[in-house]
Amino acid sequence: MLAALLLSAPCLATAQKLDLIIRGGSVIDGSGAPAQKADIGIAGDRIVFIGSSNGKQATRVIDAPGLIVTPGFIDPHTHTAGDLSDPKRSRNDAYLMQGVTTVATGNDGDSPKEIGATLAKWEHQGIGTNAALFIGQGTVRGEVMKMSDGKPTDEQLAQMKHLVEAAMQQGAIGISTGLYYAPGSYSSTEEVIELAKVAAQYHGIYDTHMRDESSYTIGLLGSVRETIRIGREAHLTVMISHIKALGADVWGQSADVIKVVDDARREGINVVASQYPYTASGTSVTAALVPRWAEANGVLLKNLDDPAVHTKLINEMNQNLVRRGGPDSLLMTAPRDKTVTGKTLAAIAKERNESPVDAAIEIIKSGGSAVASFNMKENDIEAFMRQPWVMTCSDGSEGHPRKYGTYPRKIHDYVYERHIIFLEAAVRSSTSLPAETLGLKDRGLLKPGYFADVLVFDPKTFQERATYESPRVLAAGVRYLTVNGRLAIDEGNLTTTLAGKALKR
Ligand SMILES: [Zn+2]
């Protein structure tokens, strides 16, 4: 064994045979530095050089003049745990075809309960992209307190801390919350801080779908301040997920949010955010319109029929509908009752000759529906996108094109067509910024020694093809994509390779 090593070592050093050279592309390294013409050499799962490949040999050479070469994109907010666990979907096609090589999931407070077992399963079964997991605060609270809207006892809090600690020890990259959703919404800021402190002990981060992105309860700015307070008191990086100004009451508040975040960053708190480039969010009819008190203790359906609360419930649902832009702004994208697919709430109400809220209640009773909720303004989206602390995320969910189109859409629409940001900034926001934030070692840059997650796309054809009407259409324009040095896309086509790794903090 030792002899074999000694014999083979000098050969490796003198004439290292590369597995792959990507030659002559426009290389954007992910740091924000300008593009440069260069060749990239890959051996095994690592990048070994960037520069001139003159005199070097490789098993495979890809000619890339006219193409853009970047690190594979890293998506810090997805809903891919189900996809990755299902051998039929674990290649993660929707993401590979956008140039994404790493996804985080378990966001919005909702994660698999068993972090270690889930990561091990992915590693064992094989996954197309790399993947990392948050432990969900809603999941943890649900384990200990079910759907109670009460304050935890000391013992319950201790149990929750223990679950977070176990998850962090098993490799979670941090804790996520969905304070807008039940049961996360029943948690006080202090309760969340206690759990975030546990994640901080293991160098994890705090990722949040904030309590209010609009004017439902504490307001958009109140929620940003709550997030910052959690970062300050628990001593960890805080990431505002899918940052937005949701609804007419808060349109234009991006400027105030940016100021509050910049102030906190100057104070030394690492506040960052993720964002998807669409004016519609994706949620459910229930989450969009029903007040959280009506869901407490899992009695939503009973409350919908209870005459004692009916008037209050209808009034609040009407207010929430106005807040979101009215019945024309809610598009049913994935209903249980297929007859309403692709229709707005306004159209459904008209057809049935009933009020929009009554129509919404019927939809909820018949199994609910995912909705595209058109509630954002382009000027807020653009203002957030320009900030150096805002990274790209898809928040991909069924029934919204963002799962299939986020990354090419940002580059095609916001860089090439509308010139909102430079290509180098768009690439940084999709690579090194999320890698640093999530603590992913040796990823997010094109750099010798780093993992060879490399994207080669054609700037002329890199484009989203999914739409609100047909949200499940794969993107176009990725020519080549390596995940840990192996080609996941070759000449525009998905390969059968499952080269992703389960990444631990
Ligand atoms: Zn969310």
Side-chain angles (χ1 to χ4, degrees), residues 77 108 181 209 242 395:
H77 188 129
D108 292 337
Y181 299 107
H209 180 141
H242 42 60
D395 189 13

Short mmCIF file of all heavy atoms in Angstrom, two decimals, residues 77 108 181 209 242 395, ligand 1:
data_model
loop_
_atom_site.label_atom_id
_atom_site.label_comp_id
_atom_site.label_asym_id
_atom_site.label_seq_id
_atom_site.Cartn_x
_atom_site.Cartn_y
_atom_site.Cartn_z
N HIS A 77 -32.96 29.20 -0.61
CA HIS A 77 -34.35 29.02 -0.14
C HIS A 77 -35.14 28.25 -1.19
O HIS A 77 -35.53 28.78 -2.21
CB HIS A 77 -34.99 30.39 0.11
CG HIS A 77 -36.34 30.32 0.76
ND1 HIS A 77 -36.66 31.04 1.88
CD2 HIS A 77 -37.45 29.59 0.48
CE1 HIS A 77 -37.90 30.78 2.25
NE2 HIS A 77 -38.41 29.90 1.41
N ASP A 108 -38.64 28.55 5.82
CA ASP A 108 -39.99 28.94 6.27
C ASP A 108 -40.42 28.23 7.55
O ASP A 108 -41.62 28.09 7.82
CB ASP A 108 -41.05 28.66 5.18
CG ASP A 108 -40.89 29.56 3.96
OD1 ASP A 108 -40.29 30.65 4.10
OD2 ASP A 108 -41.37 29.19 2.88
N TYR A 181 -46.52 32.04 9.37
CA TYR A 181 -47.36 30.84 9.31
C TYR A 181 -47.60 30.26 10.70
O TYR A 181 -46.82 30.44 11.62
CB TYR A 181 -46.65 29.76 8.47
CG TYR A 181 -46.39 30.15 7.05
CD1 TYR A 181 -45.10 30.44 6.61
CD2 TYR A 181 -47.42 30.22 6.12
CE1 TYR A 181 -44.85 30.80 5.29
CE2 TYR A 181 -47.18 30.57 4.80
CZ TYR A 181 -45.89 30.86 4.39
OH TYR A 181 -45.65 31.22 3.09
N HIS A 209 -38.79 33.61 7.10
CA HIS A 209 -39.96 34.21 6.44
C HIS A 209 -40.60 35.02 7.55
O HIS A 209 -41.14 34.47 8.50
CB HIS A 209 -40.91 33.13 5.93
CG HIS A 209 -42.13 33.68 5.24
ND1 HIS A 209 -42.67 33.11 4.12
CD2 HIS A 209 -42.92 34.73 5.52
CE1 HIS A 209 -43.74 33.79 3.75
NE2 HIS A 209 -43.92 34.80 4.59
N HIS A 242 -36.79 35.89 0.87
CA HIS A 242 -37.64 36.50 -0.17
C HIS A 242 -38.12 37.90 0.25
O HIS A 242 -39.32 38.14 0.38
CB HIS A 242 -38.80 35.59 -0.57
CG HIS A 242 -39.51 34.89 0.57
ND1 HIS A 242 -40.13 35.58 1.58
CD2 HIS A 242 -39.69 33.58 0.84
CE1 HIS A 242 -40.66 34.72 2.43
NE2 HIS A 242 -40.40 33.49 2.00
N ASP A 395 -37.24 30.20 -3.88
CA ASP A 395 -38.40 29.85 -3.05
C ASP A 395 -39.33 28.93 -3.85
O ASP A 395 -40.55 29.00 -3.73
CB ASP A 395 -39.14 31.13 -2.60
CG ASP A 395 -40.21 30.85 -1.55
OD1 ASP A 395 -40.23 29.74 -0.99
OD2 ASP A 395 -41.05 31.74 -1.32
ZN ZN B 1 -41.46 31.81 2.63
#
